Amino acid sequence: MTDLLIRRLPDLSPYEPVWRAMQAFTDARTPETPDELWVVEHEPVFTLGQAGKWEHVLNPGAIPVIPVDRGGQVTYHGPGQIVAYPLIDLRRARLGVREYVQRIEQAVIDTLAEWNVLAARKEGAPGVYVNGAKIAALGIRVRRGCTFHGLAFNVDMDLEPFRRINPCGFQGLQVTQVLDLAGPSRLTDVETVLVAELARQFGLEAIPADPILTSGAGAASAGGANVTA
């Protein structure tokens, strides 16, 4: 079984250095580069995808808004949320973008099932929902057949910043989190299951690896495909 290197970043990492490091990793990788999964909890930030409209950023206050190179609209990252960045060579995995997205969604659905939480997809609005409320958002970029960006999974966080935006471009969209669904509050408990489910979906073996260093990462290059939710 091929390895999936798991890199857990320092707690409350700023967003932009991690984003730049993902770009640099993707630009530098070769067909022999092992796939990786970066797991992080970000400092508070709103990110606005390439299709994003500023009109959906209602009242950001002191929280920064960063336009980024994934597809789609605005979302929020902050403490108490697991952000997972699968860096996958889709050609080697023999996956199309649609199936890749569905496998990430399924990993979240199966993770929530560990605590008897029934989650589902929603037609036309990628991501994962519980009783119509969004618990996980998805935004990816594919460049040269390789993925970056990824998944934001609400566990035990202050949901108030979501009221400062139209989440994923949908006015009035409700959001929820694991803690409010009688699941565990500790991120590590949820993260352990999520990492195992993501590795299983991609047919890879999760191997712990050293955290990345995000300083001095390279800038983005042009081209690629975007998917978001």
Side-chain angles (χ1 to χ4, degrees):
M1 185 177 289
T2 306
D3 292 346
L4 176 65
L5 302 184
I6 311 300
R7 301 193 189 275
R8 290 174 171 82
L9 282 64
D11 289 344
L12 295 187
S13 295
Y15 181 85
E16 187 157 1
V18 178
W19 168 35
R20 298 301 183 188
M22 283 191 292
Q23 292 174 325
F25 174 89
T26 303
D27 288 343
R29 68 180 301 170
T30 71
E32 290 72 42
T33 302
D35 294 325
E36 300 195 1
L37 176 66
W38 297 359
V39 184
V40 62
E41 204 179 348
H42 280 306
E43 295 176 352
V45 64
F46 296 113
T47 64
L48 186 67
Q50 288 187 321
K53 297 180 180 179
W54 282 93
E55 65 196 58
H56 293 302
V57 182
L58 306 176
N59 181 27
I63 299 175
V65 182
I66 301 180
V68 296
D69 58 348
R70 60 168 175 78
Q73 292 289 343
V74 63
T75 194
Y76 170 71
H77 301 310
Q81 180 190 68
I82 298 172
V83 180
Y85 296 124
L87 307 173
I88 305 293
D89 185 333
L90 293 181
R91 293 168 296 189
R92 186 168 60 205
R94 299 182 180 179
L95 290 174
V97 173
R98 181 178 178 85
E99 185 177 358
Y100 170 73
V101 169
Q102 290 175 338
R103 292 195 183 198
I104 294 177
E105 292 170 335
Q106 192 62 48
V108 177
I109 291 169
D110 292 345
T111 297
L112 288 165
E114 182 79 7
W115 294 281
N116 299 312
V117 176
L118 181 62
R121 300 177 177 87
K122 182 182 288 189
E123 186 67 29
V128 177
Y129 301 79
V130 178
N131 296 324
K134 197 160 198 174
I135 194 167
L138 184 66
I140 71 166
R141 178 75 185 258
V142 180
R143 180 183 296 162
R144 297 187 300 118
C146 298
T147 68
F148 60 107
H149 291 288
L151 162 74
F153 188 9
N154 306 335
V155 178
D156 179 12
M157 61 189 303
D158 180 4
L159 297 176
E160 185 276 332
F162 285 104
R163 296 199 290 270
R164 307 187 193 186
I165 59 174
N166 291 327
C168 305
F170 293 100
Q171 184 176 3
L173 178 66
Q174 297 299 305
V175 295
T176 189
Q177 59 184 334
V178 174
L179 181 65
D180 295 339
L181 299 168
S185 62
R186 292 202 322 164
L187 262 70
T188 53
D189 293 341
V190 181
E191 179 188 308
T192 298
V193 178
L194 177 65
V195 167
E197 291 295 343
L198 285 167
R200 186 174 68 85
Q201 285 294 325
F202 297 128
L204 302 172
E205 182 176 1
I207 304 295
D210 292 335
I212 62 164
L213 299 176
T214 57
S215 60
S221 62
N226 306 302
V227 174
T228 191

